[in-house]
Amino acid sequence: MVEFEFTPEQRDLRAVAREFCTERFAGPEVRRLVETPDGFDREVWRRLGRDVGLLGLALPEELGGAGAGLVDLALVAEEFGRAVAPAPLVGTVALAATALRLAGDDGTAEELLPAIAEGEAVVALAATDDRGAWAPAQPTVRATRTDSGWRLTGEQAHVLDGAAADAVLVLATTETGTGLFAVDGAADGLTREPLSVLDLTRRLARLRYADVPARAVGEPGQAATAVAGARDVAAVVLAAEAVGGAQRLLDMSVEYARTRLQFGRAIGSFQAVKHRCADMLVDVEHARSVAYHAAWAQDAGTDDPRVAADLATTVTAEAYLRVAKNTVQVHGGIGFTWEHPTHLYYKRAVGDAALLGGRAAAAERLAAAVLDGPALGGVA
Amino acid sequence: MVEFEFTPEQRDLRAVAREFCTERFAGPEVRRLVETPDGFDREVWRRLGRDVGLLGLALPEELGGAGAGLVDLALVAEEFGRAVAPAPLVGTVALAATALRLAGDDGTAEELLPAIAEGEAVVALAATDDRGAWAPAQPTVRATRTDSGWRLTGEQAHVLDGAAADAVLVLATTETGTGLFAVDGAADGLTREPLSVLDLTRRLARLRYADVPARAVGEPGQAATAVAGARDVAAVVLAAEAVGGAQRLLDMSVEYARTRLQFGRAIGSFQAVKHRCADMLVDVEHARSVAYHAAWAQDAGTDDPRVAADLATTVTAEAYLRVAKNTVQVHGGIGFTWEHPTHLYYKRAVGDAALLGGRAAAAERLAAAVLDGPALGGVA
Amino acid sequence: MTDRDRVVETARSVVAEHPPATTPQRAFLGACFDAGLAWVHFPEGFGGLGVAPGLQAVADGILQGAGGPNPFWLNPMGYGMAGPTVMAHASRELAAQLLRPDYVCDEIWCQLFSEPGAGSDLAGLATRAVRDGDTWVVTGQKVWTSNAHKARRALLLARTDPDQPKHRGLTYFVLDMTDPGVEVRPLRQMTGEAEFNEVYLREARIPDAHRLGEVGQGWHVAMTTLMNERTAIGGGSSVRGSGSIGTALRLWRERPDLRTPALRERLVHLFARADAARLTGDRQRAEAGERIGPEGSIGKLVGAELNQDVHEWCMDALGVEATLYSGYEPRPDGSPPPVEGEDRQRMFLRSRANTIEGGTSEVLRTILGERLLGLPGDLRADTGRPWSEVPRG
Amino acid sequence: MTDRDRVVETARSVVAEHPPATTPQRAFLGACFDAGLAWVHFPEGFGGLGVAPGLQAVADGILQGAGGPNPFWLNPMGYGMAGPTVMAHASRELAAQLLRPDYVCDEIWCQLFSEPGAGSDLAGLATRAVRDGDTWVVTGQKVWTSNAHKARRALLLARTDPDQPKHRGLTYFVLDMTDPGVEVRPLRQMTGEAEFNEVYLREARIPDAHRLGEVGQGWHVAMTTLMNERTAIGGGSSVRGSGSIGTALRLWRERPDLRTPALRERLVHLFARADAARLTGDRQRAEAGERIGPEGSIGKLVGAELNQDVHEWCMDALGVEATLYSGYEPRPDGSPPPVEGEDRQRMFLRSRANTIEGGTSEVLRTILGERLLGLPGDLRADTGRPWSEVPRG
């Protein structure tokens, strides 16, 4: 695996993903979906899993997956990002499936992962506290062992795909530490309140647990590792989505600048617009490099995977935001309207920057790794 | 005194200062002076004091001054800054004279201030420690009282005008606290090592005191107040100089952009250059506003003088640096040469940003005032 | 008695005779107009006293200080732009007819300038006005119109001669928005609400008497309006910590839990920039009197970019809370839903338009470069060519 | 045997037969040249083996890994630019004459392109070359010439037909710098030293045989040279933390006393940008092979601005120490005085030129916009007009 060199199979995979997204997540369809309660289409999701096989890419073959790596998943994510596709890819495929895979619980994994790969099960990873903070040291849900099994009590905010999920994987406090628990989406005592979100393509919910029956998943000691690993995978998926989104915005901006005339000439012939587009290109190229690198770092060990993931978050989050802002500016008033697709990407960029602890936390971890610790490989 | 409205007398004063600077600090003369050991011309300095009367502007009339305020001094400083004049205005007139005025020692003030106003005495305020840090809580020079008077021992770095000064006002540690002491520039035991400086228009020296005879100036309790007050005045003078320098750079850039042809047209007709010049204009205008405001705040109480001074440092330092960088870029290669005046301004901007504790410390004090304390007047 | 004394005395007697607390708004404003305090520099009988424009602030201080309404907020286009344009360019009869209803807010005004094909290049607009005897027949599409759904009258710029170079073929009109040829459609924006409108003109009719300025002189008249607009937008406040920076400072004070050293560092520099902009506005007003020329574009340019940076800071400070939104569904009147406290996410989204509306930052930088610094103009594809022959799209 | 194997074997045998540690530099380089390892993609006999250019890195790895000299550092213009240009455009005889002395550093090269009146607008240059039988007589002034005082040969671009549009009237030559018509003057820069020169040409003579390419085709030939230059400047390193960011990281590690939260925050973002740029270079090389097209301009653009930002960070970190300087007096050879550790103040001043030299950032952004993104060109004042009629100054 040479870094940055895709195999022919990977190129085919990208083509399949792009074709699917072009067909199923065209602009009008995305605008329709974001105004629906769930925010995505179950049937399309099933087709992605069952028919196209994109949801189990990175899962082991024995669990219904394709046994491919994160590079493959990143390629698919890039196409999802390009279409700003509203679908539980990050919540279910990146976060929940990875946590399940790493939790060390073969039984639950064998039950849920094939269903995820088939697009049958939407699963959420609820690893926030009651204010939405990611992976708290002290989870605000408490798990208690009773005669009839585990029971959960407490509250979590900002759970990605939490309202639509068929099952929720909950990070909770036990007497012996932090553990993961599986809860049925329809369980008694579970109430799910969809939050009014800025980015309508990613739905968040507040979950309240009032003595909710739950099943322990894996050993308590594994929970933190599973959640951290899920975040690293999701960071790569988010970064790849950002690359696709930013590239799409750049393409739109260039097309508009080429064809929109003011003062009798294409606005892209003015240096102010042209140089802005050049800066967008730099952002997109940098974002692409760090996102791919983070995928290869996990698959092929070309770098410390966590450093690469934090680098990817830091660079892509800023690049996506800046490209989105520049896209509005290049388009002028039309780019500020509801009818134009730009705002969907812009809000996606804003929302992503705050997910999984947010970009500030990623930069802080990167600083700790690069500046505080012993010198990194190659860093003087 | 209405803020931002100059009196006719002040306009005349500006004209006098500009005429003097245009005549005495023309480009070739500045380039000649910066290659001399002292870095300035004593005779020109005497004329400024004795004949033109610009050095005692802000001093009380009974001490040979004009009894005018900081607004007047700022106007003069702006013209000095425009010419990037190498002269001990900041060190002697702003820092040393203010410290002398505030130290509560009429005798020393009556002896030195008239000489400063006349341009006869160059006086340095040595208020750094041995690493150049401004106004240390523990000065690294120690003052000891002996039978034959006070003696100083220790070392100070980065003393502005320290090598050329006829007298040095030294911040030193005594048994009862921090005090100011006057030392003759030719005193036994004082060695002065000119430092190799980035900004050749402002000379710094390392002073070493080996049992140097000194005279106590004012009460020990006054020293910190006197040094802080001197800094506030000097901050305004530096800010006003930055305004003049930045304005001159903008004028040069605009002139070059109007007349330099590439691709068969004036480069200023290209948006990349034009918009860069527009940004420089914004910087200059902002710098001017905060610099004048800081002067008025001290003279007329239109704002907390320290907040206004720190605001002025924060804004003008950044503006001057950015304008200087943009000036090099607009001029292209020629702006990078030794022969072109731009580098003198650029280095001035860089040096100023580190003087008197530096712009980072000013921003920190501003943050403490605006963000940490109770709400400022008008600040919600 | 000085002009200032006269303004003070007049304002005091209006307040005394029509106490704002007990006088209906319309009656109070009518009394102000009749006393010459609407636009003090207008002639007597037209809402003014024929004194210097700088004295308006004196009158407003007394009237609004006593609790009187602010006509600029009630009818921004009418008070800030239509009034001065009508006074400068309409016939005396037309001015007499229009100014009082404008000031007392019987008639809300809007501005029909921008078009889908004419944004930065306003003078390239395509809406046609064709003469038909004593009336003009207008057809075209306008956009980015605030208050069009509430407006009785509009300032309209239309093309009357496509064969002239673009600036020379325009004429300026006052349009009756109740004309059957006018259709107003709300334009939903990324914040969810519909602050602006599209306005379709299909053979709308305007009497020639409602033309402002000569035929073909519309650009010149429009400059009166636009200068008033940019100064109004960019004028800024002279109160430290008001405006968007105040929103950020309040968040910093109210939410110690959100504070980090990085946010603190950014905020103090935003504060410094905001305060420098504020002081620059003060200084410009002190130096130029009340009328600010093209240097007013500095305030608009800086204010727009600063707003965006400040609101980005707020979003970064809010962290995960930034992902929430108070709702995209516009209410029937097009306004956003009410929220407790400050709706910072909405302000953040809204600020994205600041660098576009009322002159893009690109256009403003060009104005600063050319008009204030005297840099040469760009090469042009349209100068001197008949508008009809200049490529559009 | 594959080409790669052949390169490996050849390089190993050169190293074995001429151990770098004991072989004089000139002899070692001569052996490399004769073995075809100078420019491996050149034909045999011309310093090459006729293999793919990507294999140069394989050869260099072995040669320099064994302690051999890096010809690019010894003779940058000669190795990086003159070699490929000569090979592509000179006659076989001329190439045979020039390449070996170039590679073994008997002859240092410089580039005479820029002029006081032709910076960004290189094709507008005014240096005239007039034919006189079998020689050309050249008069004009060049500037920003590195190594001119040490150079034996120069790549020269001169105008041979002022009545053609500017790109079409240029011809490319190899100039002998020992010609009596050549005067080299050091050009002192803001750092104090004189890294560059001005070169005055007063009826300098060049045999027609030293022309590269056809008369009037000079621009086309120059593009070969310039593409090699930008790629060389912007290519960057694939080692994390090398280059200017390494200077900053070392300062951070070595001087805990300077650390503040604000500096830390800035530094980690500079690191992220530097690492993104590094990875982008790696990715471009992986995607494009060794030859990078206009996308190489991304690396040059980013690298220049990043250098400046990193060195500004260093100055801010140094605080009051930033006001010191190691000295402005150039040494006799034009180089700066030696200092202990890293001369960060000098690097800071030097970085100011990064966004100008080798293509200004403005020109590079235009290249990215037009060549990579396909945006339309600016309106032009010079296209199609005879050079002699285009305003200059």
Side-chain angles (χ1 to χ4, degrees):
Chain A
M1 281 185 96
V2 177
E3 188 161 67
F4 300 127
E5 283 184 13
F6 293 109
T7 62
E9 293 73 24
Q10 286 169 329
R11 292 177 193 278
D12 290 348
L13 174 65
R14 180 197 287 282
V16 167
R18 181 169 302 187
E19 192 190 340
F20 188 92
C21 288
T22 305
E23 204 176 292
R24 292 288 159 172
F25 298 118
E29 175 64 3
V30 170
R31 277 198 292 282
R32 186 189 70 76
L33 285 172
V34 299
E35 310 230 24
T36 62
D38 272 3
F40 73 102
D41 183 325
R42 284 256 173 191
E43 188 47 40
V44 170
W45 189 245
R46 265 186 216 105
R47 287 202 44 200
L48 266 165
R50 200 181 46 212
D51 302 346
V52 196
L54 294 183
L55 303 184
L57 270 179
L59 294 177
E61 291 182 37
E62 63 273 22
L63 293 173
L70 197 45
V71 173
D72 292 58
L73 184 56
L75 280 178
V76 172
E78 185 177 342
E79 297 305 322
F80 270 62
R82 175 189 292 267
V84 69
L89 187 75
V90 175
T92 294
V93 175
L95 286 174
T98 307
L100 274 167
R101 191 161 52 76
L102 299 177
D105 183 324
D106 291 349
T108 311
E110 279 163 27
E111 179 188 329
L112 283 175
L113 288 179
I116 288 176
E118 284 288 294
E120 288 300 330
V122 171
V123 182
L125 174 62
T128 51
D129 71 7
D130 57 1
R131 304 195 60 178
W134 176 257
Q138 270 310 320
T140 48
V141 176
R142 170 137 222 106
T144 319
R145 194 194 291 269
T146 68
D147 293 346
S148 56
W150 289 91
R151 297 279 169 162
L152 303 185
T153 305
E155 194 166 329
Q156 289 176 307
H158 294 266
V159 176
L160 190 59
D161 302 325
D166 303 301
V168 183
L169 207 56
V170 182
L171 186 70
T173 304
T174 71
E175 286 194 351
T176 57
T178 296
L180 279 175
F181 296 84
V183 168
D184 191 285
D188 282 345
L190 174 64
T191 54
R192 312 196 278 184
E193 178 200 336
L195 296 172
S196 177
V197 285
L198 182 103
D199 172 12
L200 293 172
T201 69
R202 290 204 209 282
R203 298 307 171 89
L204 303 170
R206 176 176 287 275
L207 305 188
R208 294 195 180 81
Y209 307 84
D211 201 32
V212 175
R215 185 196 335 172
V217 178
E219 297 303 310
Q222 285 293 95
T225 312
V227 168
R231 192 200 62 209
D232 287 345
V233 168
V236 174
V237 168
L238 283 171
E241 283 194 352
V243 170
Q247 178 70 59
R248 175 84 184 89
L249 291 173
L250 173 58
D251 293 347
M252 278 164 40
S253 298
V254 167
E255 179 60 20
Y256 190 76
R258 281 196 330 102
T259 53
R260 165 76 168 177
L261 305 183
Q262 292 281 274
F263 306 99
R265 50 193 279 205
I267 61 170
S269 72
F270 288 103
Q271 284 186 336
V273 175
K274 182 178 295 171
H275 291 186
R276 191 183 287 276
C277 289
D279 287 336
M280 293 165 78
L281 172 65
V282 170
D283 268 329
V284 170
E285 291 296 315
H286 278 199
R288 190 182 305 282
S289 306
V290 296
Y292 290 179
H293 174 70
W296 257 286
Q298 292 201 34
D299 281 358
T302 54
D303 193 3
D304 177 323
R306 191 142 298 165
V307 166
D310 287 329
L311 176 72
T313 300
T314 301
V315 172
T316 60
E318 191 172 326
Y320 198 7
L321 282 166
R322 199 159 38 209
V323 168
K325 290 188 283 186
N326 281 328
T327 300
V328 179
Q329 192 67 21
V330 167
H331 282 79
I334 193 78
F336 186 66
T337 61
W338 187 264
E339 287 313 305
H340 200 270
T342 297
H343 73 100
L344 295 169
Y345 291 84
Y346 183 43
K347 293 164 185 172
R348 169 69 73 86
V350 171
D352 283 3
L355 282 183
L356 312 181
R359 63 180 174 134
E364 175 49 41
R365 286 190 301 270
L366 187 63
V370 175
L371 303 181
D372 303 344
L376 274 188
V379 171
Chain B
M1 282 185 96
V2 177
E3 189 162 66
F4 300 127
E5 283 184 13
F6 293 109
T7 63
E9 293 74 25
Q10 286 169 329
R11 292 180 193 278
D12 290 347
L13 173 65
R14 180 198 288 280
V16 167
R18 180 170 302 187
E19 193 190 340
F20 188 92
C21 289
T22 304
E23 205 177 289
R24 293 288 158 172
F25 299 117
E29 175 65 3
V30 170
R31 276 198 294 281
R32 186 188 70 76
L33 286 172
V34 298
E35 310 230 22
T36 61
D38 273 4
F40 73 102
D41 183 325
R42 284 257 174 189
E43 188 46 41
V44 169
W45 188 246
R46 264 187 217 105
R47 287 201 47 199
L48 266 166
R50 199 180 48 212
D51 304 346
V52 196
L54 294 184
L55 303 184
L57 270 179
L59 294 176
E61 290 181 38
E62 61 274 22
L63 293 173
L70 197 45
V71 173
D72 292 58
L73 183 57
L75 281 178
V76 172
E78 185 177 340
E79 296 305 321
F80 270 62
R82 175 189 292 267
V84 69
L89 188 75
V90 176
T92 294
V93 175
L95 286 174
T98 308
L100 274 167
R101 192 161 53 76
L102 299 177
D105 182 324
D106 292 349
T108 310
E110 279 164 25
E111 180 189 327
L112 283 175
L113 289 179
I116 288 176
E118 284 288 295
E120 288 300 331
V122 171
V123 183
L125 174 62
T128 51
D129 70 8
D130 58 0
R131 305 196 60 179
W134 176 257
Q138 270 309 320
T140 49
V141 177
R142 169 138 221 108
T144 320
R145 194 195 291 267
T146 69
D147 292 346
S148 57
W150 289 93
R151 298 277 168 163
L152 304 185
T153 305
E155 195 168 329
Q156 290 176 305
H158 294 265
V159 177
L160 190 59
D161 302 326
D166 303 302
V168 184
L169 209 56
V170 182
L171 186 71
T173 306
T174 71
E175 287 195 348
T176 57
T178 297
L180 279 174
F181 296 85
V183 167
D184 191 285
D188 282 345
L190 174 64
T191 54
R192 312 196 278 184
E193 178 200 334
L195 296 173
S196 178
V197 286
L198 182 102
D199 172 13
L200 292 172
T201 69
R202 289 204 210 281
R203 298 306 169 89
L204 303 170
R206 175 176 289 276
L207 305 188
R208 293 193 182 83
Y209 308 84
D211 201 32
V212 176
R215 184 190 342 166
V217 178
E219 297 303 310
Q222 284 294 95
T225 313
V227 168
R231 192 200 63 210
D232 287 346
V233 168
V236 174
V237 168
L238 282 171
E241 284 193 352
V243 171
Q247 179 70 59
R248 176 84 184 89
L249 292 173
L250 173 58
D251 294 347
M252 277 164 40
S253 298
V254 167
E255 180 58 21
Y256 191 77
R258 281 196 330 103
T259 53
R260 165 76 168 176
L261 305 184
Q262 292 280 275
F263 306 99
R265 49 193 279 203
I267 61 169
S269 72
F270 288 103
Q271 284 186 335
V273 175
K274 182 178 295 171
H275 291 185
R276 191 184 288 275
C277 290
D279 287 336
M280 294 165 79
L281 173 66
V282 170
D283 268 328
V284 170
E285 291 295 316
H286 278 199
R288 190 182 304 282
S289 307
V290 296
Y292 291 179
H293 174 70
W296 256 288
Q298 292 201 34
D299 282 358
T302 54
D303 194 1
D304 177 324
R306 191 140 299 165
V307 166
D310 288 329
L311 176 72
T313 300
T314 302
V315 172
T316 60
E318 190 172 326
Y320 198 7
L321 283 166
R322 197 158 40 208
V323 168
K325 289 188 284 187
N326 281 328
T327 300
V328 179
Q329 191 67 21
V330 168
H331 282 79
I334 193 79
F336 187 66
T337 61
W338 187 264
E339 287 313 305
H340 200 270
T342 297
H343 73 101
L344 295 169
Y345 292 84
Y346 183 43
K347 292 164 185 172
R348 171 67 74 85
V350 171
D352 284 4
L355 282 184
L356 313 180
R359 64 181 175 135
E364 175 49 41
R365 287 190 300 272
L366 187 64
V370 176
L371 303 180
D372 304 343
L376 276 186
V379 172
Chain C
M1 184 159 70
T2 66
D3 283 354
R4 172 182 284 265
D5 292 342
R6 190 169 153 224
V7 167
V8 168
E9 192 169 291
T10 309
R12 287 196 181 140
S13 80
V14 165
V15 168
E17 289 167 30
H18 309 272
T22 54
T23 310
Q25 174 177 294
R26 185 169 180 284
F28 180 82
L29 289 170
C32 293
F33 184 91
D34 298 338
L37 300 176
W39 295 274
V40 295
H41 57 297
F42 286 12
E44 296 190 36
F46 292 84
L49 293 167
V51 299
L55 295 174
Q56 187 67 49
V58 174
D60 290 350
I62 295 168
L63 299 172
Q64 290 165 35
N70 180 336
F72 184 80
W73 291 117
L74 297 170
N75 189 7
M77 217 53 76
Y79 183 70
M81 285 143 231
T85 309
V86 163
M87 192 68 244
H89 298 284
S91 67
R92 296 229 135 196
E93 285 146 285
L94 184 60
Q97 177 195 336
L98 295 175
L99 290 173
R100 201 175 190 282
D102 172 344
Y103 185 78
V104 306
C105 300
D106 275 355
E107 295 182 351
I108 301 299
W109 286 70
C110 67
Q111 175 185 297
L112 297 177
F113 282 14
S114 294
E115 299 183 2
S120 291
D121 184 15
L122 178 59
L125 59 84
T127 291
R128 282 283 274 129
V130 179
R131 191 165 209 152
D132 177 18
D134 266 359
T135 67
W136 294 83
V137 182
V138 186
T139 300
Q141 186 192 343
K142 297 288 183 176
V143 76
W144 305 117
T145 315
S146 313
N147 288 328
H149 55 296
K150 295 191 275 188
R152 170 63 203 279
R153 299 207 184 267
L155 299 168
L156 170 72
L157 195 56
R159 186 161 307 279
T160 44
D161 188 350
D163 298 324
Q164 288 285 333
K166 63 181 185 179
H167 291 93
R168 278 185 249 149
L170 301 172
T171 303
Y172 200 109
F173 301 95
V174 172
L175 170 71
D176 184 338
M177 290 290 285
T178 62
D179 187 281
V182 177
E183 185 198 353
V184 176
R185 292 190 202 159
L187 183 60
R188 196 172 172 201
Q189 64 213 43
M190 66 162 73
T191 56
E193 72 253 41
E195 204 183 326
F196 304 103
N197 303 276
E198 295 177 299
V199 177
Y200 292 82
L201 303 170
R202 296 190 195 83
E203 303 194 351
R205 300 183 75 87
I206 304 175
D208 187 54
H210 283 200
R211 170 169 48 77
L212 300 193
E214 297 305 307
V215 173
Q217 291 294 310
W219 185 253
H220 172 69
V221 180
M223 282 299 103
T224 312
T225 314
L226 287 178
M227 273 304 170
N228 280 292
E229 179 181 15
R230 285 201 190 121
T231 308
I233 293 177
S237 162
S238 68
V239 178
R240 172 173 275 165
S242 60
S244 61
I245 191 68
T247 298
L249 292 170
R250 280 189 292 279
L251 186 60
W252 179 263
R253 291 186 179 285
E254 291 162 8
R255 295 287 304 273
D257 58 307
L258 301 176
R259 297 180 192 168
T260 69
L263 286 169
R264 185 170 183 273
E265 173 82 6
R266 272 170 72 191
L267 183 55
V268 73
H269 282 99
L270 289 168
F271 170 80
R273 207 163 124 218
D275 221 38
R278 173 183 75 86
L279 291 165
T280 298
D282 286 357
R283 186 167 60 81
Q284 287 177 338
R285 278 186 288 271
E287 288 174 357
E290 282 302 299
R291 292 280 130 174
I292 293 181
E295 68 271 23
S297 294
I298 293 176
K300 158 69 172 95
L301 174 67
V302 171
E305 296 182 351
L306 183 64
N307 270 358
Q308 294 179 343
D309 292 349
V310 166
H311 288 299
E312 277 171 36
W313 180 92
C314 289
M315 292 292 276
D316 284 341
L318 284 170
V320 71
E321 293 170 47
T323 60
L324 302 181
Y325 200 68
S326 55
Y328 286 111
E329 277 309 309
R331 296 200 298 176
D333 65 351
S335 69
V339 289
E340 275 181 57
E342 296 183 72
D343 198 348
R344 292 191 172 89
Q345 291 90 330
R346 188 175 301 268
M347 289 188 227
F348 161 77
L349 289 182
R350 180 60 183 79
S351 72
R352 205 71 265 146
N354 293 164
T355 48
I356 299 167
E357 60 197 337
T360 66
S361 292
E362 289 84 353
V363 165
L364 291 169
R365 285 193 165 86
T366 295
I367 289 175
L368 296 189
E370 296 180 7
R371 297 219 212 134
L372 283 172
L373 297 176
L375 290 169
D378 205 341
L379 297 187
R380 303 207 49 140
D382 54 357
T383 299
R385 291 170 73 182
W387 173 82
S388 53
E389 292 174 17
V390 172
R392 290 187 293 285
Chain D
M1 186 156 73
T2 66
D3 284 354
R4 170 182 286 265
D5 292 342
R6 189 166 153 227
V7 167
V8 168
E9 191 169 291
T10 309
R12 286 197 181 138
S13 79
V14 165
V15 168
E17 288 166 32
H18 311 270
T22 55
T23 310
Q25 175 177 294
R26 188 172 178 283
F28 180 81
L29 290 171
C32 293
F33 184 89
D34 298 336
L37 299 175
W39 294 274
V40 296
H41 56 297
F42 286 11
E44 295 190 36
F46 292 84
L49 293 167
V51 299
L55 295 174
Q56 187 67 48
V58 173
D60 291 349
I62 295 168
L63 300 171
Q64 292 165 35
N70 179 337
F72 184 81
W73 292 117
L74 298 170
N75 190 6
M77 217 54 74
Y79 183 71
M81 286 143 233
T85 309
V86 163
M87 192 68 243
H89 299 285
S91 67
R92 295 229 136 196
E93 285 145 284
L94 185 60
Q97 179 194 334
L98 295 175
L99 289 174
R100 201 176 191 280
D102 173 344
Y103 185 77
V104 305
C105 300
D106 276 352
E107 295 182 350
I108 301 298
W109 286 69
C110 66
Q111 175 185 296
L112 298 177
F113 281 15
S114 293
E115 299 184 3
S120 290
D121 184 14
L122 179 59
L125 60 84
T127 291
R128 281 282 275 129
V130 179
R131 189 165 210 153
D132 177 18
D134 265 358
T135 65
W136 293 83
V137 182
V138 185
T139 299
Q141 186 193 343
K142 296 288 181 177
V143 75
W144 304 117
T145 314
S146 313
N147 289 327
H149 55 298
K150 295 191 273 187
R152 169 66 202 278
R153 301 208 182 265
L155 300 168
L156 171 72
L157 196 56
R159 186 161 308 279
T160 44
D161 188 348
D163 298 324
Q164 289 285 332
K166 63 182 186 180
H167 291 93
R168 279 186 248 147
L170 301 172
T171 303
Y172 201 107
F173 301 95
V174 172
L175 170 70
D176 183 338
M177 291 292 284
T178 63
D179 186 281
V182 178
E183 185 198 352
V184 176
R185 293 189 201 161
L187 183 61
R188 197 173 172 200
Q189 65 211 42
M190 67 161 72
T191 56
E193 74 253 42
E195 205 183 323
F196 303 103
N197 304 275
E198 295 176 299
V199 177
Y200 293 81
L201 303 170
R202 296 191 196 83
E203 302 193 353
R205 298 183 77 85
I206 304 176
D208 187 53
H210 282 200
R211 171 167 49 76
L212 300 193
E214 297 303 308
V215 173
Q217 291 295 309
W219 185 253
H220 172 67
V221 180
M223 282 298 101
T224 312
T225 315
L226 289 178
M227 272 305 171
N228 280 292
E229 180 180 15
R230 287 204 187 117
T231 308
I233 293 178
S237 161
S238 68
V239 178
R240 172 174 275 166
S242 59
S244 61
I245 190 69
T247 298
L249 292 170
R250 280 188 292 279
L251 186 61
W252 179 263
R253 291 186 180 285
E254 291 161 10
R255 295 288 304 274
D257 58 307
L258 302 176
R259 297 180 191 167
T260 69
L263 287 170
R264 184 170 185 273
E265 173 82 8
R266 271 171 71 191
L267 183 55
V268 74
H269 282 100
L270 288 169
F271 170 80
R273 209 165 121 215
D275 221 38
R278 173 184 74 86
L279 291 166
T280 299
D282 287 356
R283 186 168 60 81
Q284 287 178 338
R285 278 186 288 272
E287 288 174 357
E290 282 301 301
R291 292 279 130 174
I292 292 181
E295 68 271 25
S297 295
I298 293 176
K300 158 70 171 93
L301 174 68
V302 172
E305 296 183 351
L306 183 65
N307 271 357
Q308 295 179 343
D309 292 348
V310 166
H311 288 299
E312 278 171 36
W313 182 92
C314 288
M315 293 292 276
D316 285 341
L318 284 170
V320 72
E321 293 170 46
T323 60
L324 302 180
Y325 199 68
S326 55
Y328 286 111
E329 278 309 309
R331 296 200 298 175
D333 67 350
S335 71
V339 289
E340 276 179 56
E342 296 183 72
D343 197 350
R344 292 191 172 90
Q345 291 90 332
R346 188 175 300 267
M347 290 187 224
F348 162 76
L349 288 182
R350 179 61 183 81
S351 73
R352 205 73 264 144
N354 293 163
T355 48
I356 299 167
E357 60 196 337
T360 65
S361 292
E362 288 83 354
V363 165
L364 292 169
R365 284 193 167 85
T366 295
I367 289 175
L368 296 190
E370 295 180 8
R371 297 218 214 135
L372 283 172
L373 296 176
L375 290 169
D378 205 342
L379 297 187
R380 302 207 47 142
D382 55 356
T383 299
R385 292 170 71 181
W387 174 82
S388 53
E389 292 173 16
V390 172
R392 288 186 297 284

